[in-house]
mmCIF file of all heavy atoms in Angstrom:
data_model
loop_
_atom_site.group_PDB
_atom_site.id
_atom_site.type_symbol
_atom_site.label_atom_id
_atom_site.label_comp_id
_atom_site.label_asym_id
_atom_site.label_seq_id
_atom_site.Cartn_x
_atom_site.Cartn_y
_atom_site.Cartn_z
ATOM 1 N N LEU A 141 -12.153 6.904 -26.600
ATOM 2 C CA LEU A 141 -12.773 7.035 -25.285
ATOM 3 C C LEU A 141 -12.514 5.823 -24.412
ATOM 4 O O LEU A 141 -12.296 5.941 -23.195
ATOM 5 C CB LEU A 141 -14.282 7.256 -25.452
ATOM 6 C CG LEU A 141 -15.104 7.362 -24.156
ATOM 7 C CD1 LEU A 141 -14.639 8.545 -23.315
ATOM 8 C CD2 LEU A 141 -16.596 7.479 -24.490
ATOM 9 N N ALA A 154 -4.665 2.217 -8.924
ATOM 10 C CA ALA A 154 -3.321 2.471 -8.389
ATOM 11 C C ALA A 154 -3.341 3.257 -7.087
ATOM 12 O O ALA A 154 -2.405 3.185 -6.297
ATOM 13 C CB ALA A 154 -2.486 3.212 -9.431
ATOM 14 N N HIS A 162 2.367 1.612 -15.816
ATOM 15 C CA HIS A 162 2.980 2.012 -17.075
ATOM 16 C C HIS A 162 1.907 2.078 -18.153
ATOM 17 O O HIS A 162 0.825 1.503 -18.019
ATOM 18 C CB HIS A 162 4.060 1.001 -17.502
ATOM 19 C CG HIS A 162 5.138 0.814 -16.496
ATOM 20 N ND1 HIS A 162 6.339 1.490 -16.550
ATOM 21 C CD2 HIS A 162 5.215 0.009 -15.393
ATOM 22 C CE1 HIS A 162 7.105 1.130 -15.543
ATOM 23 N NE2 HIS A 162 6.439 0.225 -14.824
ATOM 24 N N LYS A 167 1.343 1.922 -32.700
ATOM 25 C CA LYS A 167 0.744 2.373 -33.939
ATOM 26 C C LYS A 167 0.961 1.306 -34.999
ATOM 27 O O LYS A 167 2.111 0.942 -35.306
ATOM 28 C CB LYS A 167 1.392 3.692 -34.384
ATOM 29 C CG LYS A 167 1.074 4.113 -35.811
ATOM 30 C CD LYS A 167 -0.387 4.474 -35.994
ATOM 31 C CE LYS A 167 -0.626 5.001 -37.425
ATOM 32 N NZ LYS A 167 -2.045 5.321 -37.661
ATOM 33 N N GLU A 172 0.245 -2.218 -46.017
ATOM 34 C CA GLU A 172 0.758 -3.571 -45.787
ATOM 35 C C GLU A 172 2.129 -3.774 -46.436
ATOM 36 O O GLU A 172 2.652 -4.878 -46.464
ATOM 37 C CB GLU A 172 -0.232 -4.596 -46.339
ATOM 38 C CG GLU A 172 -1.576 -4.575 -45.618
ATOM 39 C CD GLU A 172 -2.517 -5.628 -46.128
ATOM 40 O OE1 GLU A 172 -2.116 -6.377 -47.049
ATOM 41 O OE2 GLU A 172 -3.641 -5.725 -45.630
ATOM 42 N N SER A 178 16.234 -1.235 -40.618
ATOM 43 C CA SER A 178 16.895 -0.969 -39.350
ATOM 44 C C SER A 178 17.567 0.399 -39.397
ATOM 45 O O SER A 178 17.522 1.119 -40.402
ATOM 46 C CB SER A 178 17.943 -2.053 -39.067
ATOM 47 O OG SER A 178 18.928 -2.052 -40.090
ATOM 48 N N GLN A 194 0.949 10.646 -31.220
ATOM 49 C CA GLN A 194 1.689 10.676 -29.953
ATOM 50 C C GLN A 194 1.307 11.873 -29.079
ATOM 51 O O GLN A 194 1.271 11.748 -27.849
ATOM 52 C CB GLN A 194 3.192 10.656 -30.207
ATOM 53 C CG GLN A 194 3.739 11.821 -30.998
ATOM 54 C CD GLN A 194 5.225 11.663 -31.269
ATOM 55 O OE1 GLN A 194 5.865 10.722 -30.779
ATOM 56 N NE2 GLN A 194 5.794 12.560 -32.034
ATOM 57 N N VAL A 218 5.956 1.336 -33.238
ATOM 58 C CA VAL A 218 5.218 1.067 -34.470
ATOM 59 C C VAL A 218 5.352 -0.417 -34.788
ATOM 60 O O VAL A 218 6.446 -0.980 -34.667
ATOM 61 C CB VAL A 218 5.766 1.901 -35.645
ATOM 62 C CG1 VAL A 218 5.075 1.509 -36.947
ATOM 63 C CG2 VAL A 218 5.562 3.385 -35.374
ATOM 64 N N GLN A 230 6.020 -9.781 -21.746
ATOM 65 C CA GLN A 230 6.934 -10.863 -21.415
ATOM 66 C C GLN A 230 8.294 -10.358 -20.966
ATOM 67 O O GLN A 230 8.839 -10.825 -19.962
ATOM 68 C CB GLN A 230 7.088 -11.787 -22.627
ATOM 69 C CG GLN A 230 5.820 -12.542 -22.972
ATOM 70 C CD GLN A 230 5.915 -13.308 -24.292
ATOM 71 O OE1 GLN A 230 6.710 -12.950 -25.165
ATOM 72 N NE2 GLN A 230 5.114 -14.348 -24.449
ATOM 73 N N PHE A 237 -2.359 -6.670 -17.120
ATOM 74 C CA PHE A 237 -2.556 -5.922 -18.360
ATOM 75 C C PHE A 237 -3.946 -5.308 -18.348
ATOM 76 O O PHE A 237 -4.921 -5.988 -17.999
ATOM 77 C CB PHE A 237 -2.400 -6.837 -19.571
ATOM 78 C CG PHE A 237 -2.762 -6.198 -20.873
ATOM 79 C CD1 PHE A 237 -1.970 -5.189 -21.408
ATOM 80 C CD2 PHE A 237 -3.905 -6.583 -21.572
ATOM 81 C CE1 PHE A 237 -2.303 -4.577 -22.615
ATOM 82 C CE2 PHE A 237 -4.238 -5.987 -22.778
ATOM 83 C CZ PHE A 237 -3.435 -4.985 -23.302
ATOM 84 N N VAL A 238 -4.045 -4.032 -18.712
ATOM 85 C CA VAL A 238 -5.329 -3.316 -18.693
ATOM 86 C C VAL A 238 -5.593 -2.697 -20.053
ATOM 87 O O VAL A 238 -4.706 -2.090 -20.654
ATOM 88 C CB VAL A 238 -5.320 -2.201 -17.614
ATOM 89 C CG1 VAL A 238 -6.685 -1.479 -17.595
ATOM 90 C CG2 VAL A 238 -5.000 -2.762 -16.239
ATOM 91 N N ALA A 248 -20.034 -9.846 -29.964
ATOM 92 C CA ALA A 248 -19.021 -10.298 -30.924
ATOM 93 C C ALA A 248 -17.622 -9.719 -30.643
ATOM 94 O O ALA A 248 -16.640 -10.458 -30.680
ATOM 95 C CB ALA A 248 -19.464 -9.963 -32.354
ATOM 96 N N PHE A 258 -3.538 -12.813 -29.423
ATOM 97 C CA PHE A 258 -2.911 -11.986 -28.384
ATOM 98 C C PHE A 258 -3.418 -12.354 -26.990
ATOM 99 O O PHE A 258 -2.640 -12.610 -26.075
ATOM 100 C CB PHE A 258 -3.159 -10.507 -28.653
ATOM 101 C CG PHE A 258 -2.772 -9.603 -27.523
ATOM 102 C CD1 PHE A 258 -1.457 -9.497 -27.128
ATOM 103 C CD2 PHE A 258 -3.729 -8.858 -26.851
ATOM 104 C CE1 PHE A 258 -1.083 -8.675 -26.070
ATOM 105 C CE2 PHE A 258 -3.375 -8.027 -25.796
ATOM 106 C CZ PHE A 258 -2.045 -7.947 -25.408
ATOM 107 N N ASN A 261 -2.290 -15.690 -25.568
ATOM 108 C CA ASN A 261 -0.867 -15.777 -25.233
ATOM 109 C C ASN A 261 -0.431 -14.786 -24.160
ATOM 110 O O ASN A 261 0.739 -14.765 -23.781
ATOM 111 C CB ASN A 261 -0.013 -15.562 -26.491
ATOM 112 C CG ASN A 261 -0.039 -16.771 -27.403
ATOM 113 O OD1 ASN A 261 0.694 -17.738 -27.211
ATOM 114 N ND2 ASN A 261 -0.913 -16.733 -28.403
ATOM 115 N N CYS A 264 -0.265 -12.832 -18.243
ATOM 116 C CA CYS A 264 -0.725 -12.338 -16.937
ATOM 117 C C CYS A 264 -2.228 -12.089 -16.969
ATOM 118 O O CYS A 264 -2.837 -12.076 -18.046
ATOM 119 C CB CYS A 264 0.027 -11.060 -16.562
ATOM 120 S SG CYS A 264 -0.200 -9.708 -17.740
ATOM 121 N N ILE A 266 -5.799 -10.100 -16.981
ATOM 122 C CA ILE A 266 -6.231 -8.961 -17.780
ATOM 123 C C ILE A 266 -7.392 -8.279 -17.088
ATOM 124 O O ILE A 266 -8.296 -8.928 -16.581
ATOM 125 C CB ILE A 266 -6.684 -9.426 -19.179
ATOM 126 C CG1 ILE A 266 -5.527 -10.091 -19.925
ATOM 127 C CG2 ILE A 266 -7.279 -8.273 -19.985
ATOM 128 C CD1 ILE A 266 -5.982 -10.873 -21.149
ATOM 129 N N THR A 292 -9.106 -17.221 -6.639
ATOM 130 C CA THR A 292 -8.947 -16.600 -5.322
ATOM 131 C C THR A 292 -7.502 -16.172 -5.069
ATOM 132 O O THR A 292 -7.248 -15.153 -4.449
ATOM 133 C CB THR A 292 -9.426 -17.536 -4.204
ATOM 134 O OG1 THR A 292 -8.769 -18.813 -4.328
ATOM 135 C CG2 THR A 292 -10.932 -17.732 -4.244
ATOM 136 N N LEU A 298 -3.915 -9.257 -5.508
ATOM 137 C CA LEU A 298 -4.193 -7.872 -5.864
ATOM 138 C C LEU A 298 -4.814 -7.079 -4.715
ATOM 139 O O LEU A 298 -4.469 -5.903 -4.506
ATOM 140 C CB LEU A 298 -5.152 -7.829 -7.058
ATOM 141 C CG LEU A 298 -4.624 -8.341 -8.398
ATOM 142 C CD1 LEU A 298 -5.741 -8.346 -9.433
ATOM 143 C CD2 LEU A 298 -3.468 -7.476 -8.873
ATOM 144 N N ILE A 330 -17.803 -26.097 -3.487
ATOM 145 C CA ILE A 330 -16.924 -25.124 -4.132
ATOM 146 C C ILE A 330 -17.089 -23.758 -3.495
ATOM 147 O O ILE A 330 -16.114 -23.054 -3.199
ATOM 148 C CB ILE A 330 -17.194 -25.069 -5.642
ATOM 149 C CG1 ILE A 330 -16.693 -26.346 -6.296
ATOM 150 C CG2 ILE A 330 -16.519 -23.847 -6.276
ATOM 151 C CD1 ILE A 330 -17.017 -26.449 -7.769
ATOM 152 N N ILE A 337 -10.995 -20.042 1.806
ATOM 153 C CA ILE A 337 -9.700 -19.502 1.388
ATOM 154 C C ILE A 337 -9.648 -17.999 1.617
ATOM 155 O O ILE A 337 -8.677 -17.462 2.147
ATOM 156 C CB ILE A 337 -9.441 -19.827 -0.106
ATOM 157 C CG1 ILE A 337 -9.230 -21.332 -0.298
ATOM 158 C CG2 ILE A 337 -8.217 -19.057 -0.621
ATOM 159 C CD1 ILE A 337 -9.187 -21.756 -1.752
ATOM 160 N N PRO A 344 -13.010 -12.031 4.087
ATOM 161 C CA PRO A 344 -14.255 -12.809 4.075
ATOM 162 C C PRO A 344 -15.299 -12.177 3.169
ATOM 163 O O PRO A 344 -15.500 -10.955 3.191
ATOM 164 C CB PRO A 344 -14.697 -12.762 5.544
ATOM 165 C CG PRO A 344 -14.089 -11.507 6.086
ATOM 166 C CD PRO A 344 -12.769 -11.381 5.400
ATOM 167 N N GLY A 364 -24.076 -3.268 -9.537
ATOM 168 C CA GLY A 364 -23.369 -2.366 -8.636
ATOM 169 C C GLY A 364 -21.933 -2.731 -8.287
ATOM 170 O O GLY A 364 -21.447 -2.355 -7.216
ATOM 171 N N LEU A 367 -15.766 -4.311 -10.068
ATOM 172 C CA LEU A 367 -14.942 -5.289 -10.759
ATOM 173 C C LEU A 367 -15.611 -6.652 -10.648
ATOM 174 O O LEU A 367 -16.062 -7.036 -9.563
ATOM 175 C CB LEU A 367 -13.535 -5.343 -10.149
ATOM 176 C CG LEU A 367 -12.496 -6.209 -10.857
ATOM 177 C CD1 LEU A 367 -12.167 -5.639 -12.238
ATOM 178 C CD2 LEU A 367 -11.220 -6.326 -10.031
ATOM 179 N N ILE A 372 -10.726 -18.248 -16.810
ATOM 180 C CA ILE A 372 -11.148 -18.938 -18.023
ATOM 181 C C ILE A 372 -9.959 -19.701 -18.606
ATOM 182 O O ILE A 372 -8.804 -19.393 -18.331
ATOM 183 C CB ILE A 372 -11.686 -17.957 -19.083
ATOM 184 C CG1 ILE A 372 -10.655 -16.865 -19.397
ATOM 185 C CG2 ILE A 372 -12.995 -17.322 -18.629
ATOM 186 C CD1 ILE A 372 -11.090 -15.897 -20.476
ATOM 187 N N THR A 376 -11.101 -21.708 -24.312
ATOM 188 C CA THR A 376 -12.517 -21.758 -23.952
ATOM 189 C C THR A 376 -13.409 -21.774 -25.188
ATOM 190 O O THR A 376 -13.200 -21.011 -26.127
ATOM 191 C CB THR A 376 -12.889 -20.541 -23.073
ATOM 192 O OG1 THR A 376 -12.123 -20.581 -21.876
ATOM 193 C CG2 THR A 376 -14.365 -20.579 -22.702
ATOM 194 N N LYS A 379 -19.098 -21.470 -27.121
ATOM 195 C CA LYS A 379 -20.419 -21.757 -26.584
ATOM 196 C C LYS A 379 -20.438 -21.745 -25.055
ATOM 197 O O LYS A 379 -21.431 -22.126 -24.445
ATOM 198 C CB LYS A 379 -20.899 -23.123 -27.095
ATOM 199 C CG LYS A 379 -21.067 -23.185 -28.613
ATOM 200 C CD LYS A 379 -21.573 -24.553 -29.055
ATOM 201 C CE LYS A 379 -21.748 -24.600 -30.567
ATOM 202 N NZ LYS A 379 -22.234 -25.928 -31.017
ATOM 203 N N PRO A 390 -21.821 -5.228 -17.611
ATOM 204 C CA PRO A 390 -21.296 -3.916 -18.033
ATOM 205 C C PRO A 390 -20.124 -3.432 -17.206
ATOM 206 O O PRO A 390 -19.606 -2.338 -17.451
ATOM 207 C CB PRO A 390 -22.507 -2.994 -17.830
ATOM 208 C CG PRO A 390 -23.237 -3.605 -16.662
ATOM 209 C CD PRO A 390 -23.071 -5.103 -16.832
ATOM 210 N N LEU A 393 -13.904 -6.217 -16.090
ATOM 211 C CA LEU A 393 -13.671 -7.643 -15.859
ATOM 212 C C LEU A 393 -12.202 -7.901 -15.517
ATOM 213 O O LEU A 393 -11.301 -7.391 -16.185
ATOM 214 C CB LEU A 393 -14.020 -8.439 -17.118
ATOM 215 C CG LEU A 393 -15.466 -8.450 -17.582
ATOM 216 C CD1 LEU A 393 -15.576 -9.206 -18.911
ATOM 217 C CD2 LEU A 393 -16.380 -9.079 -16.545
#
Side-chain angles (χ1 to χ4, degrees):
L141 178 61
H162 302 264
K167 167 67 175 178
E172 296 183 0
S178 61
Q194 61 184 355
V218 174
Q230 293 172 336
F237 172 69
V238 181
F258 169 64
N261 285 278
C264 60
I266 298 165
T292 53
L298 293 175
I330 289 175
I337 292 171
L367 187 66
I372 56 178
T376 299
K379 297 181 180 180
L393 295 176

